[in-house]
Amino acid sequence: MRAFSAVDVIRAKRDGGRLSDEQIDWVVDAYTHGVVAEEQMSALAMAIFLRGMDSAEISRWTGAMIASGERLSLSVSRPTVDKHSTGGVGDKITLPLAPLVAACGAAVPQLSGRGLGHTGGTLDKLESIPGWRASLSTAEIARQLEDVGAVVCAATSGLAPADKKLYALRDVTSTVESIPLIASSIMSKKIAEGASGLVLDVKFGSGAFMKTLDQARTLASTLTSIGVAHGVPTTALLTDMNVPLGRAVGNAVEVAESVSVLQGGGPSDVVELTLALAREMLALAGISTDPAEVLASGEAYETWCRMISAQGGDPAAPLPKPSHIHTVVAPASGVLASLDAYAVGVASWRLGAGRARKEDPVQAAAGVLCLAKPGEPVTEGEPLLELHTDTPSAVPAALAALEGGFTVASAAPAPSPIVRETIHGTV
């Protein structure tokens, strides 16, 4: 590979130029192996943040990050399809979705992450189940996909190591929000997983990283274009994250709510989004089964139990309970008009359900239960929210986060659909 000067690459992007394929391949590889220094990649990341990248640059950057590590070879008898969410509050959809799609006949290799800040992490939620383990070898992933049809686990260490380094750097250089860097980060890991199709849940609103529908649309279009460029059919759903998904926000409480969905109950919005994503995943896998029928049959719950057991967990074990519960009451009688996802997410985080740094521990029992959702009647002095924690001293900070986070009115707000748009990227 031809060597370049890091300073020349930085200067080219700083001045608004387009990076060549060779420059991109070199700088990603050199950074991965420590030839390009952290301060130099910081400067390049900021230049990309300010100047952007065209679609060809983004696709090449993604390819270079994939090439920095291994690609999983998922030789299973079922069609493989994966899902990724850009992150939200109460977003436990992976938990009921993976076993549901597997019960319909597909294989779902769901390599997931941990929460940071106000958005929760799938692995943190599942680790509240006694005995469950997140780390699996490539052989274990392939075997579980063949035997069960679904696996939710941590990414293997050799998967897109360039992204792992760059993500940590972006987090401390205020370049996380760059669409080219977000898109290449997501897609490098997902394409390296080896799934034959991908469905993206791109969220917008107060509890999402993309605050507006237009921003989410731009990100979704970029993501689907990368998928197509790399030969992976990719569909993106643009979904509302102004209100928490479901009634549970946290770790164990979200597992309990997910199990309720798999057993035929659960909040209607969680069921609605789970089925919408399942239909898109099954379409990419070429499977015509109706996921609503499979969910109602109990087969998805049976697959959940097998999936959890395969990773050492006990699906029948009691989930952790908090040592302290603080109740927030309705300030007036009427109808709950709004419940801000970001405020609830920060409150849950401060109660111990999330982390400020990747190495911070989380509390399995911490979180928030939303006893009312927008459009539902409330009575002055009656419970509105439950704050769960093992650290009672954290309650005042959580209450501060919730100030102004909900309103009560005399009339119900107009209903808002969860799924706003769907973007299809076909190969």
Side-chain angles (χ1 to χ4, degrees), residues 164-177:
K164 185 176 182 180
K165 281 191 72 174
L166 184 56
Y167 187 91
L169 187 71
R170 288 166 52 214
D171 193 41
V172 297
T173 57
S174 194
T175 54
V176 169
E177 297 86 353

Side-chain angles (χ1 to χ4, degrees), residues 58-59 62 180 183-184 187 191 221-231 234:
I58 298 171
S59 178
T62 305
S184 57
M187 296 302 287
I191 294 170
S221 297
T222 303
L223 291 165
T224 54
S225 295
I226 294 172
V228 169
H230 287 270
T234 305

Side-chain angles (χ1 to χ4, degrees), residues 211-284:
K211 300 303 180 185
T212 69
L213 180 58
D214 284 345
Q215 289 175 329
R217 188 182 296 116
T218 299
L219 176 58
S221 297
T222 303
L223 291 165
T224 54
S225 295
I226 294 172
V228 169
H230 287 270
V232 180
T234 305
T235 297
L237 274 62
L238 277 60
T239 66
D240 193 316
M241 185 33 71
N242 285 297
V243 176
L245 262 171
R247 297 180 182 274
V249 178
N251 294 315
V253 288
E254 291 196 40
V255 173
E257 189 165 85
S258 299
V259 170
S260 179
V261 169
L262 288 163
Q263 292 177 330
S268 59
D269 56 347
V270 177
V271 175
E272 178 186 345
L273 185 52
T274 299
L275 291 174
L277 289 164
R279 291 187 182 104
E280 297 295 344
M281 292 173 73
L282 292 170
L284 289 181

